[in-house]
Amino acid sequence: MNSLTLQRALGLGLLLFGLGSCGTNVSVETAILTPSDQWQTLTTANVQLDLPPGYVGGDPGRDLEALQRTLVSWEQGDRTEWLSQNAAEFEFLAFQRAGEMLNSINIVQEDRPKTLTLADYLQRQTEKLEAAGITATSTITATSASLELRSMNLYQRIYIYPTETVFWVITYSSGSPNAEFTAGVEQSQQSFQVRLEPS
């Protein structure tokens, strides 16, 4: 994972649970996204993913103002400027209110050289995380890989799905994971589908 991909994969989780304040310029005409109490399927041009109850989300390139306005309505407006600056990096973004914090899901893609195997990619990511002082537990199967990262105030589960030309990276983040969050992550990641291979 190059530094940009690491930032994309980890940045939103760190952003949503970090401190700090940024200004916001969100249009008042944009609708606020409403969480569902049911599982829902969200689709972008390239991917599809099932979201657990309580999440809202979409394609930041298309739904940025609605995502920002929802954050403001949830008293998380200090996240909107960063989101605006980085929206193009994400294929998919969703978040769920968890007390005063947010749980989040994001999907990014990284170009895949033809000779790079999933095992080699996972090894590189693990080494880069360790070099940054982040301990990660990794798992690999024939079709996907995952990384689990824990710190005092952040838990992240990252799933990597290779296709012929890209690695799709899904990151689930929580500041206070519980059994419901963990079960939701497992069910959600199993639903991931690539709809259109990026060119």
Side-chain angles (χ1 to χ4, degrees), residues 50-96:
D50 291 350
L51 297 182
Y55 278 85
V56 297
D59 174 353
R62 181 189 64 214
D63 306 317
L64 177 60
E65 283 198 31
L67 291 166
Q68 289 178 311
R69 185 144 177 79
T70 303
L71 285 171
V72 170
S73 75
W74 289 1
E75 299 181 358
Q76 301 286 337
D78 56 336
R79 277 65 168 176
T80 59
E81 185 175 323
W82 184 95
L83 178 57
S84 178
Q85 293 169 353
N86 293 280
E89 302 298 330
F90 297 100
E91 173 71 25
F92 179 100
L93 173 65
F95 43 85
Q96 174 192 53

Side-chain angles (χ1 to χ4, degrees), residues 83-146:
L83 178 57
S84 178
Q85 293 169 353
N86 293 280
E89 302 298 330
F90 297 100
E91 173 71 25
F92 179 100
L93 173 65
F95 43 85
Q96 174 192 53
R97 199 169 5 197
E100 295 181 3
M101 297 186 292
L102 296 175
N103 295 333
S104 67
I105 303 169
N106 71 67
I107 301 176
V108 299
Q109 60 175 291
E110 182 173 3
D111 291 340
R112 179 185 184 184
K114 289 184 178 181
T115 57
L116 186 59
T117 67
L118 177 60
D120 290 342
Y121 179 86
L122 182 63
Q123 181 63 32
R124 288 182 186 181
Q125 307 332 305
T126 302
E127 290 172 358
K128 289 178 182 179
L129 288 166
E130 289 173 354
I134 300 169
T135 303
T137 303
S138 63
T139 306
I140 189 166
T141 69
T143 58
S144 66
S146 67

Side-chain angles (χ1 to χ4, degrees), residues 6-73:
L6 177 61
Q7 176 187 353
R8 289 186 298 187
L10 302 180
L12 182 63
L14 296 175
L15 163 79
L16 293 180
F17 301 112
L19 300 176
S21 178
C22 301
T24 177
N25 293 319
V26 180
S27 167
V28 294
E29 289 87 20
T30 305
I32 295 172
L33 301 174
T34 304
S36 171
D37 61 358
Q38 305 292 317
W39 279 83
Q40 57 185 323
T41 300
L42 286 187
T43 302
T44 70
N46 295 318
V47 299
Q48 178 176 305
L49 188 73
D50 291 350
L51 297 182
Y55 278 85
V56 297
D59 174 353
R62 181 189 64 214
D63 306 317
L64 177 60
E65 283 198 31
L67 291 166
Q68 289 178 311
R69 185 144 177 79
T70 303
L71 285 171
V72 170
S73 75

